[in-house]
Structures are given as C-alpha cells and as structure tokens.
Amino acid sequence: MARQTRQRILDASLAMFNAQGEPNVTTNHIADELEISPGNLYYHFRNKDDIIEQLFAGYEARMDTALAAPEGRLPGLEDIWLQLHLVFECIWDYRFLYRDLVDILSRNRRLRLRFARILKRADEQAHTVMRGLVQAGVMRASADEVNAAATNILVIATFWMNYAAARGDKDERTSIRDGIVQVMMLVAPFLRDAERVHLNTLTRAYIT
C-alpha cells in the first residue's frame, strides 16, 4: 500500500509539473490533488526537491535506454530517426525538466551533476552515430563537420522546448515533432543523394 501511495504521488507530481510548470506546484497542491494529507505525502518524500529527484531517476533511466547504440553494426538513417523519437518522447514525458531546466539545476547540485552526465553521454552517442554514418558511407563529412553537427544536434534537442515556448508555440506535441525534423535537417546536407531522398520521404510522411 505504501509503495502504491508513493507511486501515485510521483505520477500526480509529474502530471502537475508538466501541466502547470514545476515552480507553480507545491507539495500541498499535490496532496490536495491526491486527497491525502500533507503529512502522508511527507512520510514518503521529504520535500518537493525529493520528489523531483525521484522523477529525475525515472527520466535518467529512460534517457539511458533511448541513447543506446545499435549493437554489432554501423548505424543507418532510420536508427537516428528511431533514436530521436525515443529521446524526444522522453523529453515530452518529462518536459517540466526542460521547461524549467536552468532553475531546477541551479537549486540542486546533485541533479546538475547527473544532468551533466546525461549530456556527456548524449554528446558521445551523437558523435559515435555521426562517425558511424560516415564510415557506413551514408554521409560525407569531415571530422570538424561531424563534431559541429553532433554538438548542434545536442543543443537543439536540449533547448528545443524553451525555443518553442519563446516563439509562442501552443501545441507542445507539435513542437516535439518539429524538433525531430529540425535535428534531421542538420544531417541532411551531409547525406549522399539516395539517403537524402530517403530522408525527405521520411520527413514528408511524418509531418503530413
């Protein structure tokens, strides 16, 4: 029963943080939403930052899975497409982290270090995938171009939600879809002709 209550608190917190923004939700709001006493909530979590840390652990596990590279073979164009889907779906499910990223990380050193680890792994994975595409003959790019494109992919994925909000996007799901396409367009100039046609086909099917 205690484990069920704990999970209900995490699920409600995630939904409320995503819908209302983490700074606008207090532990009392969460307790009211679940129709439990604040004391019951504090039995499971010390404070709101404790809840955020537990949610971050779930996010971290999801992102680690999303960043896993294909085993035993070089990556292809559809591997990147699938991986971006998994990454952006994770960003969508934990979008409050990205919407309030700087504020949350500035308050919590442990999360700052853990998020830095995720960025480092994502950076290494982006470089590995880009080099793999060159090695597989899917794209042509110099080492410097690979490094720049990999970094740009990471920057766009990390801050796309903030960019979309700043330009006034109302539909965050559409924004996520646009972010995936935007990242793929960073790769497009380096693709060989057949792969560029394939990417255009994928993109058209995705946005219509």
Side-chain angles (χ1 to χ4, degrees), residues 67 117-128 147 150-151 154:
L67 291 172
R117 185 196 71 81
I118 290 173
L119 284 181
K120 184 173 185 296
R121 176 159 184 217
D123 183 62
E124 291 169 351
Q125 178 62 11
H127 279 80
T128 298
N147 288 337
T151 298
L154 190 59

Side-chain angles (χ1 to χ4, degrees), residues 99-111:
R99 202 187 290 128
D100 303 305
L101 183 63
V102 175
D103 179 53
I104 291 171
L105 297 186
S106 68
R107 297 195 324 250
N108 192 313
R109 181 176 179 274
R110 287 191 300 275
L111 290 190

Side-chain angles (χ1 to χ4, degrees), residues 79-191:
D79 291 313
I80 301 181
W81 193 265
L82 174 60
Q83 193 165 59
L84 282 172
H85 267 279
L86 294 175
V87 166
F88 272 90
E89 281 175 5
C90 183
I91 291 173
W92 166 257
D93 288 343
Y94 292 88
R95 55 196 177 276
F96 82 93
L97 284 172
Y98 286 83
R99 202 187 290 128
D100 303 305
L101 183 63
V102 175
D103 179 53
I104 291 171
L105 297 186
S106 68
R107 297 195 324 250
N108 192 313
R109 181 176 179 274
R110 287 191 300 275
L111 290 190
R112 192 160 65 246
L113 293 173
R114 288 165 69 181
F115 194 80
R117 185 196 71 81
I118 290 173
L119 284 181
K120 184 173 185 296
R121 176 159 184 217
D123 183 62
E124 291 169 351
Q125 178 62 11
H127 279 80
T128 298
V129 167
M130 295 288 281
R131 286 193 295 266
L133 290 175
V134 172
Q135 191 177 345
V138 173
M139 57 182 263
R140 301 184 194 91
S142 69
D144 286 344
E145 288 169 338
V146 165
N147 288 337
T151 298
N152 289 341
I153 285 171
L154 190 59
V155 170
I156 287 180
T158 303
F159 294 104
W160 184 258
M161 294 292 292
N162 291 325
Y163 169 72
R167 71 180 184 181
D169 288 5
K170 301 299 183 187
D171 186 342
E172 287 184 317
R173 279 196 176 277
T174 299
S175 297
I176 290 288
R177 184 191 66 189
D178 292 345
I180 294 172
V181 173
Q182 189 70 27
V183 169
M184 292 302 291
M185 289 300 104
L186 288 174
V187 178
F190 303 110
L191 295 176

Side-chain angles (χ1 to χ4, degrees), residues 34-45:
L34 292 170
E35 298 182 344
I36 62 175
S37 69
N40 193 353
L41 186 147
Y42 290 129
Y43 172 79
H44 297 280
F45 299 98

